[in-house]
Amino acid sequence: MTTEEKNLRLVFYIHSLVNFGGAERVFLLLLQNLDRKKFDITLLMCKKEGRYLNEIPRDVEVVSLEEDKTVYAIPKILKFIWKRKPDLFFTIRNILLAAVSKIARVLSPQTKFIVREVIIPSMHNQSEPFPKLFDLGYRILYPWYDRIICQSDDMLEDLKTTYCIKPGKLAKIHNPVDARRISRKLAVDQVEIADGRRIRLLAMGRLMHQKGFDLLIEAFSRLPEEFCLEILGQGEQREMLQKMIDEKNLAGRISLAGFREDPYSRIAAADIFVLSSRYEGLSNAILEVMLCGTPVVAFNCPGGIQEIVLHGINGLVVPPCDVDSLAEGILKASKTIFSKGKIKNSILGKFALRERVLEYERLFIDVSDSTGCHR
């Protein structure tokens, strides 16, 4: 793109910023860091709500459709595309908008549609109300996107083999992580002094089946008394998990501590972070944990764990969903001396914010310049 060319008109679409997780964090990082000499950015939302609205840059136009669900907002989305005729429309995991893209091409032929996948679809779809319908949507509608961004090799392979999406439609870009932001948070927040009598384990995420906290509690019950565990997050399984903790007489050692907006001081104070997920995207939680210098013990679940956790350097990986192996891995990690510097350095290069943002910029420009979909 030369200086004489106009900026690309780039529209980000997201429902809201109420349920804020790793996908939303990456969304915000892109909004904050994309080159304004290349892109004019508009953020389109179903509802302009959520605790992170104040992190949206002031030069980003925010348009609220004032609808509760994307399905109700479709006519307004189509009207917006027809009037604005953006060059690029970018969203997060969304089958419905793949269908919308087909109609929108009639209203605005130059608009290209890009989606960022955030999970292993074939596994996550099984938790949806109608799994076969979701699988059908991926197989039939997802190829209508001009490009699908995957976070990991596992994700890319799943889309290619399970849903027969052509390789030319797929691109892999690792998640960016904002090292400076985490460093600032750690500098401000006081890190708790470790209690040498206890080995502190930490886990974090939405309290749901995917995250496998039931497996973690089962594994934890096999550990000696000096281990304690704090689980940060909230979700639909809280009551079930608390009941499980009580039945195993672990209430004095395991705490369901709820959501924490800035958990970095807790992460830095932990001896080990445990990821017990049944499947994942490319875990943003692990990336942020390692930037705090904390080692990770993780199930080698589908999603890209092996692309982050370097066994023996920044943590340990154990066979997926194997609670005995998880307990053994935690014990082994507690006796291993990890270098905080090596843990941080293992993340700083591969997932550096600036380099990943540049990859997104190149992809956006490439898709905008293409004359048609890759088939």
Side-chain angles (χ1 to χ4, degrees):
M1 181 180 292
T2 65
T3 54
E4 290 77 18
E5 292 177 310
K6 293 182 179 179
N7 287 2
L8 290 175
R9 292 164 296 176
L10 171 59
V11 173
F12 280 59
Y13 174 79
I14 193 169
H15 178 270
S16 72
L17 292 174
V18 172
N19 296 319
F20 196 85
E24 290 77 15
R25 170 57 61 194
V26 171
F27 216 64
L28 269 179
L29 284 175
L30 292 173
L31 283 173
Q32 293 164 351
N33 291 280
L34 286 170
D35 190 344
R36 299 315 198 252
K37 294 179 182 178
K38 300 175 183 176
F39 305 98
D40 293 326
I41 304 172
T42 301
L43 175 59
L44 190 62
M45 306 176 76
C46 259
K47 279 283 183 72
K48 186 181 177 181
E49 55 185 1
R51 61 171 62 89
Y52 290 91
L53 287 174
N54 64 340
E55 293 195 29
I56 298 170
R58 292 183 179 180
D59 62 353
V60 172
E61 179 189 8
V62 181
V63 177
S64 177
L65 301 174
E66 296 303 315
E67 296 289 353
D68 291 327
K69 294 182 179 181
T70 296
V71 64
Y72 303 144
I74 287 175
K76 292 182 179 180
I77 293 171
L78 288 170
K79 184 178 180 181
F80 177 91
I81 292 171
W82 173 61
K83 282 192 169 184
R84 296 290 189 96
K85 292 183 170 51
D87 298 296
L88 296 163
F89 191 98
F90 175 58
T91 191
I92 302 170
R93 186 179 190 263
N94 200 308
I95 295 175
L96 193 57
L97 286 180
V100 168
S101 72
K102 200 75 167 178
I103 306 169
R105 291 181 210 285
V106 179
L107 305 173
S108 178
Q110 83 274 19
T111 302
K112 303 294 175 65
F113 289 80
I114 301 170
V115 66
R116 178 177 176 269
E117 190 52 59
V118 299
I119 205 70
I120 301 293
S122 64
M123 300 190 74
H124 190 72
N125 285 351
Q126 303 315 303
S127 65
E128 298 288 358
F130 304 100
K132 290 184 179 179
L133 189 61
F134 272 78
D135 279 340
L136 189 65
Y138 267 85
R139 194 166 284 112
I140 294 176
L141 302 179
Y142 243 53
W144 290 353
Y145 280 114
D146 293 286
R147 201 66 55 87
I148 302 166
I149 299 173
C150 307
Q151 304 169 27
S152 67
D153 291 330
D154 284 354
M155 201 176 291
L156 192 148
E157 190 63 27
D158 190 53
L159 287 164
K160 187 171 67 173
T161 58
T162 307
Y163 301 106
C164 303
I165 295 176
K166 299 293 178 65
K169 287 274 187 179
L170 304 171
K172 188 182 88 166
I173 303 179
H174 281 139
N175 292 349
V177 63
D178 191 349
R180 289 185 179 180
R181 174 179 174 272
I182 293 173
S183 293
R184 287 196 300 269
K185 294 289 185 182
L186 287 173
V188 172
D189 297 340
Q190 185 175 358
V191 177
E192 298 176 37
I193 299 173
D195 180 355
R197 296 170 298 175
R198 308 202 82 180
I199 299 171
R200 300 174 63 171
L201 307 181
L202 181 71
M204 183 167 60
R206 184 166 180 81
L207 307 183
M208 59 192 295
H209 178 76
Q210 175 210 334
K211 298 298 183 181
F213 293 125
D214 55 325
L215 302 177
L216 173 55
I217 292 169
E218 188 62 47
F220 183 85
S221 69
R222 292 156 165 75
L223 295 175
E225 288 288 329
E226 64 265 25
F227 285 83
C228 61
L229 168 64
E230 184 177 48
I231 300 175
L232 303 182
Q234 54 194 13
E236 58 270 23
Q237 284 197 335
R238 182 183 177 88
E239 187 176 335
M240 182 273 283
L241 294 172
Q242 187 61 60
K243 183 179 179 182
M244 188 176 178
I245 291 167
D246 294 339
E247 287 176 349
K248 292 182 175 294
N249 297 315
L250 296 171
R253 297 171 58 203
I254 300 180
S255 168
L256 298 180
F259 175 78
R260 293 292 183 274
E261 188 167 320
D262 291 312
Y264 306 111
S265 61
R266 275 179 152 83
I267 293 170
D271 296 294
I272 301 166
F273 182 87
V274 186
L275 185 127
S276 55
S277 297
R278 291 176 165 90
Y279 59 93
E280 269 292 342
L282 195 75
S283 173
N284 286 283
I286 290 184
L287 297 179
E288 295 191 343
V289 162
M290 289 184 174
L291 282 177
C292 295
T294 303
V296 172
V297 175
F299 279 142
N300 189 18
C301 63
I305 296 302
Q306 289 192 63
E307 295 181 49
I308 308 175
V309 183
L310 306 176
H311 193 79
I313 296 174
N314 56 20
L316 302 175
V317 291
V318 300
C321 299
D322 186 332
V323 295
D324 288 325
S325 293
L326 184 59
E328 291 169 8
I330 293 169
L331 277 170
K332 182 177 180 181
S334 70
K335 299 171 183 176
T336 303
I337 299 174
F338 291 96
S339 163
K340 285 185 176 292
K342 286 184 179 179
I343 292 173
K344 293 177 183 179
N345 289 336
S346 70
I347 298 302
L348 286 173
K350 196 173 184 180
F351 303 95
L353 175 61
R354 187 61 199 142
E355 283 72 15
R356 302 296 75 73
V357 170
L358 286 172
E359 284 189 89
Y360 271 93
E361 290 180 357
R362 287 193 290 267
L363 182 138
F364 288 151
I365 292 168
D366 176 63
V367 173
S368 173
D369 288 343
S370 63
T371 56
C373 299
H374 295 269
R375 296 292 180 188

